[in-house]
Amino acid sequence: MSAPSRQRPRPRPADLLGPARSRLERYLHDLARLVAIDSGSYSPDGVNRVADWVQASLTSLGFAVERIRPPAADGPPSDALRTGDVLVARKAGRLAAADGGRRILLAAHMDTVFEDGTAAERPFTLDGTRAHGPGVSDDKGGLLAGLTALGLLQEQGVSEYAELVFLATPDEEIGSPVSRAVTEKVARGVDYALGLECARENGDLVVARKGVADFRLTVTGRAAHAGIEPERGANAALAAAHLVVALQALNGRWDGVTVNVGVVRAGQRPNIVCAEAELRLEVRAATAADVRKVRRAIEDAAACPAVPGTAVTVEQLDDCPPMEATEASHRMFAAAERAADAIGFTLGATATGGVGDANLIAGVGVPVLDGLGPVGGADHSPQEWLDTASVPQRVALLASLIVALGDSGGDV
């Protein structure tokens, strides 16, 4: 069987800017509507109101939407964590994989870091070209940019891809405890992924994100009366103190690796030689290999406690893999640079220590480019902003990338 003919010329990036500009008014209307919804990670009803709107938008664009209600996960003390639903939407294109079609995943999140009531206290405002409001940049602006780009491509009749997949998660701001398995399952088998977090304040895209590993070290000693026979004890607090110094000293050993002992707990009474202590620490590193190196160093330190009679156990509680810059992701960025140049602006790239769902996608081996939403900043703060003047350019860029990536005969 011969490959299907590519009947329509692919729209050029510059040709997409005008249609993107024509959608700005609608974008701002919809952004105000989304920002008015309190959708903190611990507010499942609010997140699901956003999910209702996103689901309706995707359905109108011809996507088949699966709505997944994840089981409860371990959450705050005293109860299980419930979040909003996960949306997985799919739309088949006209190019089979055998004919050069590629599967592209667009990923965004629906939750914010803000408590219920914040949307009323700090409603959406527009001051010139700057929009403000809870989640306006992180990530409602990016989520909406993705939907806008998909609408633009539908309008242009673009279907030269194998499949588009749109993933909207409810818990990214708390580390994706319930959606992680869904994200990893959906990501397996796609060819490229585009993260819809907003661009950095200077407009850069994100080509790499550090990974994070959390550890708990439990130090076991021996209790004794601190006044009468302290020599019979083995002070776990003292051993833990030596460990804190040793672990913090790992900073600087490897480029781009940070180690932070953030929690120290020890003892019950001042007249008892401390029998148990606990340390909680976080490791951030740009590569999986560096995470493994740090873990070995932590285990080596734990194997030789400074206080005789004490012992240390090491547990890795969680890990979020790094989004490493790869040859494939560099090719994706090069395609984005070419598109941006044709649209009329210069694009930069950066690496960041922050993590997101893009890390999970990269962790299953998919090349990822992130920061493809509009330009924004001051995330997680009352000053959060979005540059609405950047919206048409960034929507046109995103749509251009989907065009380029969807067909193996393209520019990537």
Side-chain angles (χ1 to χ4, degrees):
M1 177 183 289
S2 60
S5 61
R6 293 166 172 81
Q7 299 172 350
R8 293 179 297 274
R10 296 191 305 159
R12 297 173 302 175
D15 297 333
L16 296 173
L17 183 56
R21 283 185 176 134
S22 71
R23 290 172 174 264
L24 179 58
E25 184 177 352
R26 181 66 188 181
Y27 177 97
L28 295 175
H29 175 272
D30 290 339
L31 182 61
R33 181 176 178 179
L34 289 176
V35 170
I37 301 172
D38 283 313
S39 58
S41 309
Y42 300 112
S43 302
D45 292 342
V47 172
N48 280 341
R49 286 178 60 199
V50 175
D52 292 341
W53 189 89
V54 174
Q55 181 175 4
S57 299
L58 288 164
T59 300
S60 71
L61 293 171
F63 281 76
V65 183
E66 179 185 11
R67 188 157 176 163
I68 302 167
R69 177 164 296 176
D74 292 338
S78 80
D79 61 355
L81 169 64
R82 284 224 167 263
T83 70
D85 299 341
V86 184
L87 298 183
V88 181
R90 301 178 184 274
K91 185 177 183 179
R94 64 184 296 270
L95 278 182
D99 298 323
R102 295 294 178 257
R103 299 180 66 218
I104 303 170
L105 171 64
L106 286 77
H109 64 91
M110 301 176 287
D111 61 321
T112 74
V113 299
F114 301 106
E115 300 294 328
D116 286 351
T118 308
E121 293 170 3
R122 291 194 291 106
F124 178 86
T125 59
L126 189 58
D127 182 9
T129 61
R130 281 217 170 184
H132 295 272
V136 69
S137 169
D138 187 16
D139 181 31
K140 292 177 179 180
L143 172 75
L144 185 54
L147 295 172
T148 305
L150 293 175
L152 178 58
L153 292 177
Q154 182 188 57
E155 179 185 83
Q156 296 289 315
V158 174
S159 58
E160 282 68 40
Y161 49 81
E163 185 181 43
L164 297 181
V165 184
F166 194 99
L167 173 70
T169 57
D171 58 344
E172 188 271 350
E173 295 291 7
I174 54 173
S176 306
V178 301
S179 66
R180 177 171 180 164
V182 176
T183 297
E184 292 174 336
K185 181 179 178 180
V186 169
R188 290 187 179 96
V190 304
D191 297 291
Y192 302 104
L194 304 174
L196 301 179
E197 295 281 1
C198 280
R200 304 298 91 175
E201 292 191 11
N202 65 355
D204 284 355
L205 300 189
V206 177
V207 295
R209 291 179 177 273
K210 286 186 178 182
V212 179
D214 292 332
F215 295 89
R216 176 168 58 205
L217 276 63
T218 303
V219 185
T220 303
R222 187 168 55 250
H225 194 295
I228 298 175
E229 45 188 14
E231 70 281 358
R232 293 193 176 186
N235 196 317
L238 180 58
H242 282 280
L243 268 176
V244 170
V245 174
L247 295 171
Q248 290 292 145
L250 296 176
N251 286 290
R253 183 178 295 187
W254 303 278
D255 289 342
V257 173
T258 59
V259 178
N260 181 61
V261 180
V263 177
V264 180
R265 299 189 183 98
Q268 296 176 338
R269 293 174 178 271
N271 62 347
I272 300 175
V273 175
C274 179
E276 188 171 273
E278 178 183 287
L279 306 179
R280 296 282 293 272
L281 63 146
E282 177 195 84
V283 174
R284 293 195 182 224
T287 68
D290 280 343
V291 174
R292 291 192 294 270
K293 290 175 186 176
V294 180
R295 172 164 186 145
R296 286 195 293 270
I298 292 170
E299 291 171 340
D300 289 345
C304 301
V307 177
T310 61
V312 185
T313 60
V314 178
E315 302 170 81
Q316 185 167 341
L317 301 177
D318 195 12
D319 73 288
C320 180
M323 172 185 152
E324 299 187 34
T326 64
E327 183 179 341
S329 62
H330 281 304
R331 289 197 302 270
M332 294 171 71
F333 178 72
E337 273 190 308
R338 291 191 293 272
D341 183 65
I343 293 167
F345 68 102
T346 301
L347 202 59
T350 192
T352 178
V355 302
D357 286 339
N359 292 68
L360 305 179
I361 297 166
V364 300
V366 177
V368 186
L369 193 59
D370 202 2
L372 284 159
V375 177
D379 297 355
H380 299 189
S381 80
Q383 291 75 43
E384 184 177 4
W385 58 270
L386 186 81
D387 179 11
T388 63
S390 72
V391 170
Q393 288 183 336
R394 298 296 165 145
V395 167
L397 172 64
L398 180 56
S400 299
L401 264 181
I402 294 170
V403 171
L405 297 173
D407 182 351
S408 65
D411 300 327
V412 183

